[in-house]
Amino acid sequence: MAWKTLDDMDLAGKRVLVRVDINVPMEDGVVTDTTRIERIADTVYDIQDAGGSVILMAHFGRPKGKVVPEMSLEHIAPTVADVLGLPITWANTDYRDAVKEMEGNEVLLLENLRFNPGEEANDPAFAKRLASLCDIYVHDAFSAAHRAHASTEAISKLRPSCAGRLMAAELSALETALGCPKRPVVALVGGAKVSTKLELLGNLMGKVDYLIIGGGMANTFLAAQGLSVGKSLCEHDLADTARDILAKADAAGCEVILPRDIVVAREFAANAVNENLAPDACPDDAMILDAGPKTVAYIEEVLSKAKTLLWNGPLGAFEIEPFDAATNAAAQIAAKLTKAGKLISVAGGGDTVAALNHAKAADDFTYISTAGGAFLEWMEGKTLPGVAALSN
Ligand code: ADP
Ligand code: MG
């Protein structure tokens, strides 16, 4: 798949409307993490360097089509100005007047898009109003690309469109990992439940050489094979589905790797008394909270043969020690292989990003996607409406 980038556009003297994700965490009126704002900087600077003027548009929170004063982007504007080092003007509803008055390297920030019901409804009239402000539309919010909204989809049909720097980086990382990956490809899928990741497993089976299943999800597969999982998190009603997945993987020549040993405890709590057992030895009153060292050793063997790794979901209840052990170890193995130039590693998912940071492995991964829902839909093989709109 190919998509247009800023380099394909003539930006000189143009008004460029950029959809960004600056949905930053805020406490007591103060932005507590500016990462999302830092990540849009290259796009803003490159447009200005090419002679374009920048108008930013974004959502903030979930106002559901109504004006909610606490969710005004006016509160974020000073932080955006600080982080970018540029003058920012916040435009309430009179977008047009504000655009006319733009000067120098001033950046305009439009009010929270989701104050208007037309945004989430992908309303052509609202998209038309946004399009009237600009000559060129740039999509730089991958995290919002799985939604067809006025600012991500409808507008792209009304103006020449391209991907911003952040979107382009995300798309090429994802393309490298699943579009035309170097083989063997390993997918590590963990986390809580199989039911939330059925489509993901279905799509990956035909595309990867090894599928490592961990976390609470693995319990469902163990139970489906007739093993007792005690009080573990387990979706017993999905036993048929799990067996079906295993059969399909087998037919596709994909090796499925389930825990080869388990770490069990009687309570879901940090430092709970625990033991390392064989997968068929979970006591009736215990729950499986992590994979054990034998599993990690086999994961290391598989990753050492692999060229590409796609990771979503932790291998255990990583939030509580010591049940973070397998996730930490596997993350560090992947980070080390990546650093040595032997592996391309791409990971994403809300808890996955937290787990890889916790393992102090995130910095050495090839790419970590912070776009939770959009990343998962991409891994499921879905066409993201906001990305389709940018394809060449
Ligand atoms: P992501 O957000 O990266 O897609 P998930 O939401 O699917 O990941 O899964 C993360 C959650 O799975 C974590 O909260 C973790 O505690 C939980 N989890 C992993 N393994 C187990 C387990 N064996 N038992 C209970 N919960 C688990
Ligand atoms: Mg999660």
Side-chain angles (χ1 to χ4, degrees):
M1 203 187 116
W3 49 88
K4 289 206 181 77
T5 72
L6 292 176
D7 303 319
D8 300 310
M9 315 302 276
D10 177 13
L11 301 169
K14 303 279 169 54
R15 291 207 170 97
V16 185
L17 180 59
V18 190
R19 174 62 158 100
V20 291
D21 177 4
I22 49 171
N23 196 17
V24 287
M26 204 160 72
E27 264 167 48
D28 303 324
V30 179
V31 176
T32 53
D33 180 355
T34 57
T35 311
R36 285 188 164 158
I37 302 173
E38 289 157 29
R39 295 185 85 195
I40 65 168
D42 285 344
T43 299
V44 174
Y45 299 154
D46 287 357
I47 293 169
Q48 290 196 337
D49 287 349
S53 45
V54 178
I55 307 163
L56 298 176
M57 60 174 171
H59 71 277
F60 188 64
R62 295 175 189 270
K64 304 220 162 99
K66 293 197 185 73
V67 176
V68 180
E70 310 86 82
M71 294 183 195
S72 170
L73 280 174
E74 187 178 17
H75 308 306
I76 311 288
T79 313
V80 179
D82 276 354
V83 172
L84 298 180
L86 292 169
I88 304 282
T89 304
W90 166 75
N92 187 1
T93 38
D94 297 326
Y95 300 159
R96 273 193 146 285
D97 291 345
V99 169
K100 273 188 217 131
E101 286 162 17
M102 283 175 77
E103 278 176 3
N105 65 351
E106 176 187 356
V107 171
L108 198 68
L109 173 63
L110 305 187
E111 180 57 295
N112 192 345
L113 291 165
R114 290 189 187 166
F115 283 2
N116 191 313
E119 165 63 355
E120 290 178 87
N122 201 17
D123 174 21
F126 185 50
K128 205 169 154 194
R129 200 173 142 219
L130 294 170
S132 74
L133 307 176
C134 70
D135 305 301
I136 290 171
Y137 164 70
V138 175
H139 193 346
D140 212 21
F142 179 79
S143 54
H146 57 315
R147 307 254 154 80
H149 290 173
S151 70
T152 61
E153 207 261 347
I155 189 173
S156 68
K157 302 195 175 111
L158 304 174
R159 288 290 180 271
S161 309
C162 74
R165 295 297 184 218
L166 195 54
M167 171 75 93
E170 182 101 25
L171 292 179
S172 43
L174 301 187
E175 187 71 8
T176 309
L178 207 57
C180 45
K182 286 196 187 140
R183 293 191 176 272
V185 187
V186 179
L188 192 163
V189 182
K193 291 185 172 177
V194 177
S195 52
T196 60
K197 300 198 175 171
L198 283 175
E199 288 183 80
L200 183 81
L201 294 169
N203 181 46
L204 291 176
M205 248 167 350
K207 296 189 175 158
V208 305
D209 304 295
Y210 298 92
L211 177 59
I212 301 169
I213 299 180
M217 280 181 55
N219 302 338
T220 301
F221 283 86
L222 294 176
Q225 291 182 320
L227 305 183
S228 163
V229 296
K231 290 187 173 164
S232 302
L233 175 64
C234 179
E235 293 170 290
H236 291 282
D237 54 328
L238 288 180
D240 284 341
T241 310
R243 282 190 290 267
D244 190 42
I245 289 170
L246 293 174
K248 282 193 180 134
D250 196 42
C254 166
E255 179 183 335
V256 176
I257 295 143
L258 290 170
R260 297 188 160 205
D261 58 342
I262 54 176
V263 178
V264 307
R266 261 77 185 177
E267 48 172 349
F268 189 93
N271 303 312
V273 176
N274 61 83
E275 34 184 347
N276 181 207
L277 300 170
D280 61 357
C282 180
D284 287 345
D285 63 343
M287 55 191 136
I288 305 169
L289 292 182
D290 199 9
K294 273 188 205 151
T295 309
V296 172
Y298 190 60
I299 290 175
E300 178 159 31
E301 198 182 312
V302 169
L303 290 182
S304 305
K305 291 186 275 195
K307 294 254 172 14
T308 305
L309 167 68
L310 258 158
W311 184 329
N312 169 261
L315 287 171
F318 76 99
E319 299 95 336
I320 49 171
E321 278 178 28
F323 309 105
D324 56 350
T327 304
N328 286 347
Q332 281 154 13
I333 291 162
K336 201 172 133 209
L337 290 166
T338 307
K339 209 173 171 188
K342 293 179 180 156
L343 185 71
I344 293 165
S345 50
V346 174
D351 294 291
T352 309
V353 177
L356 298 180
N357 281 326
H358 172 78
K360 300 199 168 44
D363 288 349
D364 288 325
F365 269 61
T366 311
Y367 194 80
I368 305 250
S369 172
T370 51
F375 177 81
L376 279 179
E377 289 199 18
W378 167 80
M379 259 182 102
E380 288 166 358
K382 291 188 182 147
T383 303
L384 310 184
V387 174
L390 306 174
S391 56
N392 263 331

